[in-house]
Amino acid sequence: MKVLARKDLPDVLKNWSDSYDVFAPSMKETGDVIFDRFDADTFTLEYGKPSLPQKSEFLPQSEVIFELKKGEYREVMAGSGKMLFGMRACDVMGMRQAGSFMKRDVTDPYYKSKEEGILKVVMACSGPQNETCFCTTVGSGPFAEAGFDLQFYDLGDEFLVEAESERGKQLIADGFFGEIDAAEAGTKIEEFKVHASKAIKEVPALKEAMERLRDGSVSEKVWDYFGRKCIVCGGCAFVCPTCTCFTVSDFQTQPGEGLRVRSWDACLFGGFTREASGHNPRGTQALRLKRRHEHKLLYYNETDVLEGLCGCVGCGRCSDYCPVHIGTLEVVKAIAED
Amino acid sequence: MGNNSGNAYQPRPVSIIRTLPQINEHRLFQLKLEDGGSWEDFGHQPGQFVEVSIFGKGEAPISISSPPTRLDALEICVRRTGRLTNALFDMEKGSHLHIRGPYGRGFPVEILKGHKVLLIAGGLGLAPLRSLLLYLLDKRDKFDEIILMYGTNNPDNVLFKYELLGFFDRDDIKYLYSVDRDEEGIWKQYVGVVTGLFDQAELSPHDTYAVLCGPPVMYKFVLERLLSLGFPKDHIFMSLERMMKCGIGKCGHCAIGDKYCCTDGPVFPFTEIEKIKEAI
Ligand SMILES: Cc1cc2nc3c(=O)[nH]c(=O)nc-3n(C[C@H](O)[C@H](O)[C@H](O)COP(=O)(O)OP(=O)(O)OC[C@H]3O[C@@H](n4cnc5c(N)ncnc54)[C@H](O)[C@@H]3O)c2cc1C
Ligand code: SF4
Ligand code: SF4
Ligand code: FES
């Protein structure tokens, strides 16, 4: 454990930028905060919950996987030398769960090559970032337990900095980081954790909903209701840190040459399961919404959920962004009340 | 995976040895590996599938129609439906394309050994079932009685017609077939849906395994029939179809409840899927 004065953070990030492509929260002119290349002028710690998880660093919205040339498929493999500074604990858990799926049985080489190269620096949350956070219910936050290189605890004038990996230890070996008595650090962190966890609302409906899905007692009316409201934008899946479904398409760029590209896809779309014959085993929007939520809360067996509860890591983004209020929070509430 | 590149998505080059027209819009393609590999090392099992790539057109899952007992060529039987299959139909002897695989869990040949096997196919469902059928016939002494029930919508749509006609002369396989409709009145066999064929066969459910492959509507009726005849649930195996993109359990398209059709299937024992509402 080390300690860093708050005022030194921009200099530290600047130093790290010499060796890594540092991505950190950046305040844009429009008032939105996004993860962007570190810039001392726009860098901010007032970023709450980033609007998107860092999923696209591991599974880009769209990526070329093969170049088609001279009758061959030539692998296009991008590594990553990025540092992500300021990840939230729920997103770290989301990344770990998604990784366990992408690397189970057969390894997805594109996902793995990016994930391995990225340095993950977490900023532990001192409380909920907004009213939709429910990390404590699903066991993903407000601080990360594993899967990061460094974790920062914001104590006001200073940060306590915890290293999880060898790479992390080396990062905090320089002069900016001071030593701190282990017992003292332990007490402060314990206090921080207890306080932060207490500040975040538990959502008992989630466990009830999981229970009801397991015993098959959820009425189809719940899904019909949401199915009628959904406008099929796919947003809930695109902002979700644990959604990894993709499609693959070929493009011809000129005669004999082209690209094979994979891009995000979502179980909310009718075409996702429509077969060539026209038959669609998930033929209604109600069935598709049921699938999405069953996958998060019932059928997550193919994913190692690690210390988490289920395939949802409680970031609340689906509730933040669904234009017609069909987030996991709304759905579990409807199931529990059904 | 029979793929040395380490990248599970890497397609391997193959060429077309021969194309054999089947019925309207269906063709059988015989393929040869062009990267020095052999079909023996490919290691396919009856009921598995490959992902077929055509330059710039995409990739599609296609069942392997030939058994591992016949390794001169890998055979695929394809129906023309869209972008990739259209491009395939424009190809001829010597044309180059790519495949990767073999993928999925095939038919349970070890379980079938020593038992009677009832194969029930509808339409293009015969394409994957043929790999099992020919396997059973090539290792005939390992299996008890073999019955094939095959239904198509009309007499013009019988796949592998000449191969099937040959079965009438054999006494080690019983072949029953049906057509849904016969408007011209040329069909000499049973007219009606495939379940009607059950009345023509003497079945002993407890030492018979039923293996199904056909369009979604067929399953419901055939299953009802099998169960009412007293087939134990663990004697029923079925090959399911789903939209597939990756074939290796990553893209999510083929999910059926807590299973993935591409890796947990496409062949499932009925006992594994009977409780999953969206399965059938
Ligand atoms: C395990 C498995 C095994 C299979 N085995 C076989 C097999 O042995 N033989 C076989 O023939 N098939 C098999 N299939 C089905 C096969 O994968 C599909 O037929 C194939 O993917 C079609 O690909 P395509 O690119 O030709 O069609 P696509 O272009 O993807 O077209 C599919 C459908 O969409 C329609 N369509 C195409 N373009 C458009 C458009 N622009 N607008 C609107 N609609 C459009 C087409 O009319 C068609 O109905 C199998 C599938 C699975 C999952
Ligand atoms: S389901 Fe919703 S709350 Fe759960 S991880 Fe995905 S976006 Fe976040
Ligand atoms: S975000 Fe809401 S409207 Fe959009 S697909 Fe998801 S549930 Fe439907
Ligand atoms: S085809 Fe991609 S998960 Fe099954």
Side-chain angles (χ1 to χ4, degrees):
Chain A
M1 192 72 67
K2 295 254 178 131
V3 58
L4 175 72
R6 189 180 201 87
K7 63 173 175 37
D8 290 338
L9 180 58
D11 287 329
V12 165
L13 289 171
K14 199 160 157 289
N15 279 358
W16 285 344
S17 298
D18 293 340
S19 331
Y20 302 97
D21 208 1
V22 177
F23 273 59
S26 159
M27 175 70 78
K28 299 294 161 188
E29 280 162 9
T30 53
D32 298 312
V33 176
I34 61 166
F35 270 60
D36 204 348
R37 194 155 279 122
F38 171 70
D39 167 0
D41 293 335
T42 60
F43 173 66
T44 176
L45 280 172
E46 302 302 313
Y47 62 100
K49 183 196 306 180
S51 30
L52 292 171
Q54 289 72 46
K55 175 168 78 176
S56 57
E57 300 294 344
F58 315 99
L59 183 70
Q61 186 168 0
S62 184
E63 73 181 312
V64 175
I65 57 172
F66 288 104
E67 231 173 36
L68 288 61
K69 240 186 192 151
K70 300 202 173 119
E72 284 174 26
Y73 290 81
R74 298 183 186 168
E75 174 185 284
V76 180
M77 191 66 73
S80 175
K82 273 188 189 167
M83 171 193 285
L84 301 176
F85 179 89
M87 290 180 82
R88 294 303 187 191
C90 55
D91 291 337
V92 173
M93 181 61 105
M95 169 199 78
R96 293 173 66 209
Q97 291 192 2
S100 88
F101 178 70
M102 295 304 270
K103 292 180 295 187
R104 71 167 189 148
D105 303 336
V106 180
T107 298
D108 186 288
Y110 302 97
Y111 189 95
K112 184 163 177 261
S113 73
K114 290 191 251 330
E115 188 198 46
E116 277 177 350
I118 291 178
L119 278 160
K120 299 124 199 152
V121 183
V122 183
M123 182 65 70
C125 292
S126 58
Q129 300 299 348
N130 74 352
E131 64 286 358
T132 62
C133 290
F134 59 104
C135 56
T136 51
T137 304
V138 292
S140 68
F143 44 86
E145 308 263 18
F148 56 89
D149 294 289
L150 290 178
Q151 178 153 242
F152 280 56
Y153 296 87
D154 187 344
L155 300 183
D157 291 341
E158 58 186 20
F159 298 103
L160 286 185
V161 186
E162 172 187 17
E164 240 263 311
S165 68
E166 224 19 75
R167 290 191 302 187
K169 279 190 193 131
Q170 273 156 27
L171 281 171
I172 54 172
D174 79 24
F176 279 115
F177 295 87
E179 300 296 334
I180 179 169
D181 173 65
E184 187 193 340
T187 317
K188 284 186 172 174
I189 286 196
E190 212 30 56
E191 247 172 55
F192 179 99
K193 287 183 172 175
V194 169
H195 189 263
S197 302
K198 263 198 199 144
I200 296 165
K201 264 202 322 266
E202 285 279 334
V203 181
L206 187 115
K207 284 177 195 161
E208 274 171 56
M210 287 176 70
E211 204 57 48
R212 302 262 332 257
L213 288 169
R214 217 172 294 136
D215 65 29
S217 66
V218 181
S219 109
E220 297 297 320
K221 280 192 201 127
V222 171
W223 306 116
D224 289 341
Y225 168 73
F226 288 120
R228 278 196 300 276
K229 293 215 305 181
C230 177
I231 60 165
V232 203
C233 65
C236 50
F238 298 148
V239 300
C240 178
T242 63
C243 277
T244 52
C245 288
F246 60 84
T247 188
V248 182
S249 347
D250 280 11
F251 297 99
Q252 197 162 336
T253 47
Q254 48 180 300
E257 291 188 16
L259 302 171
R260 174 160 288 174
V261 175
R262 77 165 170 197
S263 349
W264 292 351
D265 204 343
C267 59
L268 288 308
F269 300 137
F272 190 76
T273 45
R274 193 184 305 119
E275 291 159 28
S277 65
H279 171 71
N280 193 342
R282 246 177 256 142
T284 65
Q285 202 55 26
L287 287 174
R288 298 190 270 272
L289 279 165
K290 180 177 176 185
R291 168 67 200 173
R292 169 170 165 76
H293 294 94
E294 284 192 338
H295 191 203
K296 298 294 176 214
L297 304 174
L298 177 63
Y299 299 138
Y300 45 82
N301 55 296
E302 84 279 13
T303 301
D304 185 349
V305 296
L306 302 154
E307 305 79 36
L309 176 72
C310 57
C312 162
V313 295
C315 74
R317 289 190 184 89
C318 48
S319 292
D320 290 337
Y321 294 112
C322 172
V324 293
H325 312 293
I326 315 177
T328 293
L329 284 171
E330 291 78 10
V331 170
V332 296
K333 190 159 167 273
I335 292 176
E337 284 170 5
D338 166 46
Chain B
M1 295 284 124
N3 168 350
N4 302 325
S5 81
N7 182 338
Y9 297 100
Q10 180 72 51
R12 300 172 66 176
V14 294
S15 66
I16 296 176
I17 305 172
R18 197 180 295 139
T19 75
L20 303 159
Q22 290 278 329
I23 55 175
N24 189 26
E25 305 291 19
H26 290 65
R27 258 179 222 172
L28 187 73
F29 297 85
Q30 295 183 328
L31 306 177
K32 174 173 169 238
L33 272 172
E34 289 291 350
D35 60 3
S38 70
W39 292 125
E40 190 167 3
D41 293 337
F42 197 64
H44 51 292
Q45 292 300 312
Q48 286 192 300
F49 67 96
V50 287
E51 283 283 347
V52 175
S53 274
I54 294 182
F55 217 68
K57 304 292 178 194
E59 241 182 350
I62 302 288
S63 307
I64 301 170
S65 274
S66 54
T69 42
R70 303 184 186 186
L71 294 167
D72 293 345
L74 190 87
E75 294 181 333
I76 54 175
C77 177
V78 180
R79 169 173 27 215
R80 186 206 283 262
T81 40
R83 204 167 132 96
L84 179 122
T85 46
N86 273 330
L88 186 57
F89 274 58
D90 287 339
M91 292 186 152
E92 48 197 34
K93 179 177 167 174
S95 294
H96 287 259
L97 59 153
H98 288 76
I99 64 166
R100 55 188 179 91
Y103 292 135
R105 171 169 63 163
F107 297 108
V109 286
E110 290 307 316
I111 294 179
L112 303 184
K113 275 187 185 155
H115 295 279
K116 297 180 184 163
V117 186
L118 166 64
L119 301 99
I120 307 169
L124 186 56
L126 188 60
L129 263 191
R130 177 177 176 261
S131 66
L132 175 65
L133 179 63
L134 297 183
Y135 181 90
L136 300 177
L137 292 176
D138 288 347
K139 295 189 179 265
R140 191 63 194 86
D141 57 336
K142 298 263 189 306
F143 303 91
D144 196 345
E145 206 180 325
I146 299 172
I147 305 172
L148 169 65
M149 293 182 178
Y150 178 38
T152 62
N153 50 2
N154 70 58
D156 293 331
N157 281 346
V158 178
L159 284 172
F160 304 105
K161 200 176 274 169
Y162 296 100
E163 225 163 77
L164 295 180
L165 283 174
F167 295 156
F168 286 124
D169 302 331
R170 294 178 69 145
D171 54 13
D172 59 353
I173 170 167
K174 188 170 167 81
Y175 171 38
L176 301 165
Y177 61 11
S178 67
V179 298
D180 296 353
R181 289 175 306 279
D182 174 27
E183 271 140 23
E184 290 160 45
I186 54 174
W187 192 248
K188 299 202 173 51
Q189 312 287 328
Y190 181 78
V191 178
V193 291
V194 75
T195 39
L197 294 176
F198 280 99
D199 301 330
Q200 302 181 23
E202 294 232 345
L203 297 169
S204 48
H206 285 276
D207 59 356
T208 305
Y209 281 89
V211 184
L212 287 60
C213 191
V217 284
M218 188 190 96
Y219 290 120
K220 202 170 157 274
F221 295 108
V222 170
L223 275 172
E224 262 170 31
R225 198 59 188 263
L226 289 170
L227 294 173
S228 72
L229 284 170
F231 271 82
K233 285 179 180 172
D234 61 354
H235 279 212
I236 304 173
F237 289 84
M238 47 216 302
S239 180
L240 298 185
E241 188 175 328
R242 282 298 183 276
M243 163 72 153
M244 292 184 183
K245 280 290 174 186
C246 71
I248 53 174
K250 303 295 173 202
C251 74
H253 284 261
C254 71
I256 305 174
D258 66 343
K259 310 255 185 298
Y260 287 88
C261 190
C262 64
T263 49
D264 298 317
V267 178
F268 289 96
F270 178 56
T271 47
E272 274 183 24
I273 48 172
E274 64 172 320
K275 294 212 168 64
I276 303 176
K277 280 205 189 110
E278 64 174 6
I280 299 157

